[in-house]
Each structure stands twice: as C-alpha cells, then as structure tokens.
Amino acid sequence: MVRIYIIGITILLVAIIANGFAKYFGILTWYDFIKSFSEESSKNFSILNYLWLFITYPFILGLGYLLGDSVSNLFKL
C-alpha cells in the first residue's frame, strides 16, 4: 500500500511540474482544454497543443510512474 502511495505522489509531483512547464511555454494544459468546451471562443488549437496533450504529457506521466516505482524499490516497499 505504501508503494502505491509513493508512486501516486511521484506521478502527482511530475504532473504539477509538467503543467508548470506547459503554462510557462504557453502550451495548452488539460484544464485549459476542458475549459475551452464551455467557452464560445474559437477552438483552433495548434498541433503543438495536441502533441503535448495526447503524446508528450501521458509519456511524461508514465515516466513519473517509473520514477515512483524506482523510489519505492529503493525502500523495498
């Protein structure tokens, strides 16, 4: 159970950092993407936004899992 918690916390921290990175560089985050459905504004997003949301971001979160798994293995949990 502690192992799952460590992995979850690691994924959360990686997600926060990745979202900060996206905001800094002006890339759409999931929060912005979902919010855009409730707005009347244009939904013309760049290909960079789609690549980030559907390829890069999930890959980074997967790396967060691997990092969390490695950390939990250090403690033999």
Side-chain angles (χ1 to χ4, degrees):
M1 193 61 120
V2 175
R3 178 179 177 271
I4 293 172
Y5 180 73
I6 290 173
I7 292 171
I9 292 294
T10 306
I11 292 171
L12 176 63
L13 292 174
V14 168
I16 291 169
I17 292 167
N19 281 322
F21 171 81
K23 279 290 193 184
Y24 180 78
F25 288 103
I27 303 171
L28 201 66
T29 64
W30 279 109
Y31 309 109
D32 301 326
F33 183 70
I34 292 170
K35 185 179 167 187
S36 72
F37 291 112
S38 65
E39 297 175 351
E40 296 294 325
S41 65
S42 173
K43 295 179 181 155
N44 294 329
F45 304 125
S46 72
I47 189 72
L48 178 64
N49 289 317
Y50 287 111
L51 289 173
W52 169 257
L53 289 173
F54 293 100
I55 296 175
T56 309
Y57 189 69
F59 181 76
I60 289 172
L61 294 182
L63 291 176
Y65 166 81
L66 292 176
L67 178 63
D69 189 43
S70 297
V71 169
S72 70
N73 286 337
L74 286 176
F75 298 108
K76 306 281 189 225
L77 301 174

